[in-house]
């Protein structure tokens, strides 16, 4: 049985600190606490947790598993480029706002196709640019958060005929969703045999990149920006399998496993460090831009709450076991194979699983995460969105 440890304490401290920050900032962020805020459109940025189909339209996505079934099987009944068996969190957020699901920007719909928003997220995208990884001898998808911001700035004039006033009307009435960014920066290092300590040195630069993009959004008139924090990396089945292979163990007699969740303490501490620095940066941005609601979405807590009590949220008793894999063992992951490859298979009931393919979430888990965000349970300051009843 894994030994009890105190690694969850920083997460508790982070939540208490965030609450105190909210109390101090509530006057300046009053617009964020309005119930049933209405938005005319959503613009989203991020990586594979938010990508609705951009990666598969790039050369880097020619052979990714998201191009084929069983990806998309649950809701769409075909592969759409989403890294899940069905819908992802941004789909549910759009539905909650009674807006259509976001089209991938690279689909080339033209201005008319993006009147109600666009998705700029790309699977594998990083917060830092490709040069950062090249200088360190690391491979990466050649798309960064700055790349996605560049695409948005290309689209905005098309939506408003290059009129600055009209552009600001559009941005002021939009929800900007900046999905989790930085996870691929860290995983690029971890899965290419770099140390966790080296990955931790990436934190300041990653947060600077996120801060820079948020400042750009505020500069073009954004009034509501929802920024997702880092997921608990140590709860990802593929990360757990990598650690098991390197160290020859998965449970028992090792203080690096959390007693409540089975997640890896040291990897989750990296995520907690990222989130502490990120929330501090968001505090600074709120003080500098009191007219913009800058909201933190606590993805870490959303996922660890499920990991601690999966049945409470409607899942089976093994939240760290991937639905689609082929490795068996404690995580059903084989590092040499991806979901959809020969020798892998999807589970019969994805809705009972949290992890879809060992790194991404099932539609059922995405629904729970999105609901917590739109209801304000995982946001600081709280922002209540209009939740639709569609399935």
């Amino acid at each position: 049985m894994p030994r009890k440890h105190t690694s969850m304490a920083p997460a508790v401290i982070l939540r208490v600190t965030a609450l105190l920050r909210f109390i101090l900032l509530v006057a300046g962020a009053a617009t964020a606490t309005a119930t049933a805020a209405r938005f005319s459109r959503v613009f989203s940025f991020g990586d594979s947790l938010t990508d609705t189909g951009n990666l598969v339209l790039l050369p880097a996505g020619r052979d990714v598993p998201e191009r084929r079934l069983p990806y998309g099987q649950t809701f769409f009944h075909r592969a759409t480029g989403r890294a899940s068996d069905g819908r992802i969190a941004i789909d549910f957020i759009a539905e909650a706002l009674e807006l259509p699901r976001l089209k991938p920007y690279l689909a080339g719909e033209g201005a008319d196709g993006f009147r109600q928003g666009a998705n700029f997220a790309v699977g594998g995208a990083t917060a830092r640019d490709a040069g950062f990884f090249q200088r360190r001898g690391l491979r990466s998808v050649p798309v960064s958060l700055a790349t996605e911001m560049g695409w948005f700035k290309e689209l905005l004039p098309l939506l408003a005929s290059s009129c600055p006033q009209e552009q600001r009307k559009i941005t002021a009435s939009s929800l900007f969703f900046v999905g989790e960014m930085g996870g691929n920066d860290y995983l690029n290092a971890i899965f290419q045999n770099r140390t966790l300590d080296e990955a931790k040195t990436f934190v300041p630069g990653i947060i600077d990149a996120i801060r820079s993009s948020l400042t750009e959004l505020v500069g073009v008139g954004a009034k509501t920006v929802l920024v997702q924090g880092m997921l608990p990396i140590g709860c990802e089945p593929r990360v757990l399998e990598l650690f098991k292979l390197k160290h020859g163990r998965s449970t028992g007699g090792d203080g690096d496993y959390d007693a409540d969740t089975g997640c890896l303490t040291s990897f989750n501490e990296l995520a907690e460090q990222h989130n502490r620095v990120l929330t501090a940066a968001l505090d600074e941005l709120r003080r500098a831009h009191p007219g913009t609601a800058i909201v933190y979405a606590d993805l870490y807590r959303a996922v660890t709450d499920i990991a601690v009590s999966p049945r409470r949220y409607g899942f089976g008793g093994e939240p760290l076991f991937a639905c689609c894999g082929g490795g068996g063992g404690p995580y059903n992951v084989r590092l040499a194979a991806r979901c959809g490859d020969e020798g892998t298979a999807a589970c019969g009931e994805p809705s009972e699983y949290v992890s879809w393919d060992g790194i991404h979430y099932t539609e059922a888990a995405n629904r729970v995460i999105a609901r917590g965000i739109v209801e304000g349970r995982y946001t600081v300051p709280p922002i209540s969105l209009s939740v639709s009843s569609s399935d």
Side-chain angles (χ1 to χ4, degrees):
M1 188 74 180
R3 291 202 300 268
K4 184 74 174 178
H5 61 78
T6 59
S7 73
M8 297 301 285
V12 174
I13 293 169
L14 178 61
R15 294 199 291 272
V16 173
T17 302
L19 178 60
L20 292 173
R21 286 172 175 155
F22 165 60
I23 293 171
L24 293 173
L25 290 164
V26 66
T31 56
T33 61
T35 59
R38 299 297 300 174
F39 301 99
S40 300
R41 65 197 64 77
V42 178
F43 294 113
S44 64
F45 308 81
D47 57 19
S48 54
L49 296 183
T50 308
D51 184 4
T52 59
N54 283 306
L55 175 60
V56 297
L57 298 172
L58 288 169
R62 277 194 296 259
D63 191 38
V64 296
E66 291 88 344
R67 298 184 69 94
R68 55 189 181 271
L69 291 168
Y71 286 84
Q73 67 176 24
T74 296
F75 181 79
F76 302 100
H77 309 297
R78 61 182 177 86
T80 65
R82 289 168 173 80
S84 179
D85 62 305
R87 288 167 288 186
I88 56 178
I90 191 62
D91 292 317
F92 290 110
I93 291 171
E95 290 176 16
L97 294 169
E98 299 181 354
L99 292 170
R101 287 184 290 275
L102 301 182
K103 298 174 182 177
Y105 173 70
L106 296 181
E109 293 282 342
D112 288 341
F114 297 119
R115 294 293 176 191
Q116 291 182 292
N119 186 295
F120 303 96
V122 175
T126 53
R128 302 297 300 268
D129 63 27
F132 172 83
F133 299 99
Q134 290 170 358
R135 290 191 294 273
R136 288 159 179 78
L138 294 169
R139 299 181 303 278
S140 69
V141 171
V143 175
S144 67
L145 183 54
T147 307
E148 297 177 12
M149 285 298 305
W151 292 339
F152 166 69
K153 288 186 286 187
E154 289 175 358
L155 176 63
L156 184 57
L158 301 179
L159 297 175
S161 303
S162 300
C163 173
Q165 289 182 328
E166 290 301 313
Q167 290 177 22
R168 296 186 81 83
K169 285 182 181 179
I170 287 174
T171 55
S173 60
S174 302
L175 172 65
F176 289 86
F177 180 83
V178 181
E180 174 270 316
M181 286 299 292
N184 288 317
D185 301 63
Y186 303 128
L187 292 176
N188 283 343
I190 292 165
F191 281 106
Q192 294 179 58
N193 297 314
R194 302 301 175 88
T195 66
L196 190 58
D197 285 340
E198 180 177 351
K200 288 180 179 179
T201 66
F202 295 0
V203 173
I206 288 171
I207 302 305
D208 283 346
I210 295 171
R211 181 193 289 111
S212 176
S213 291
L214 296 178
T215 301
E216 286 190 70
L217 291 177
V218 174
V220 297
K223 293 299 181 184
T224 308
V225 186
L226 189 61
V227 185
Q228 204 170 43
M230 181 56 52
L231 77 167
I233 298 171
C235 298
E236 295 293 282
R238 290 188 74 86
V239 173
L240 286 156
E241 179 68 11
L242 176 68
F243 185 88
K244 178 175 74 73
L245 292 177
K246 282 187 173 182
H247 299 275
R249 57 184 183 267
S250 59
T251 58
D254 186 355
D256 204 38
Y257 289 92
D258 180 79
D260 294 325
T261 63
C263 302
L264 286 164
T265 306
S266 56
F267 287 83
N268 278 354
E269 286 174 348
L270 167 59
E272 291 167 359
Q273 178 185 346
H274 172 104
N275 289 336
R276 285 194 298 272
V277 181
L278 175 61
T279 53
L282 298 184
D283 286 347
E284 293 174 3
L285 287 169
R286 292 187 191 104
R287 287 192 292 270
H289 306 285
T292 298
I294 300 173
V295 183
Y296 174 67
D298 193 348
L299 178 60
Y300 185 100
R301 185 159 66 94
V303 176
T304 53
D305 280 356
I306 297 172
V308 170
S309 304
R311 296 190 188 281
R312 176 183 175 187
Y313 297 93
F315 300 103
E318 297 183 275
L320 306 182
F321 194 86
C323 168
C324 187
Y331 311 117
N332 192 34
V333 166
R334 184 156 49 98
L335 295 180
R338 300 173 295 182
C339 173
D341 287 351
E342 185 177 353
T344 67
C347 61
E349 295 292 340
S351 63
E352 296 180 1
Y353 290 74
V354 178
S355 177
W356 165 240
D357 58 6
I359 207 76
H360 306 104
Y361 303 115
T362 60
E363 175 178 281
N366 285 320
R367 184 197 301 272
V368 171
I369 292 166
R371 182 180 297 146
I373 293 172
V374 299
E375 292 177 355
R377 288 183 286 112
Y378 294 125
T379 60
V380 179
I383 181 167
S384 180
L385 304 176
S386 176
V387 182
S388 72
S389 59
S390 65
D391 290 327

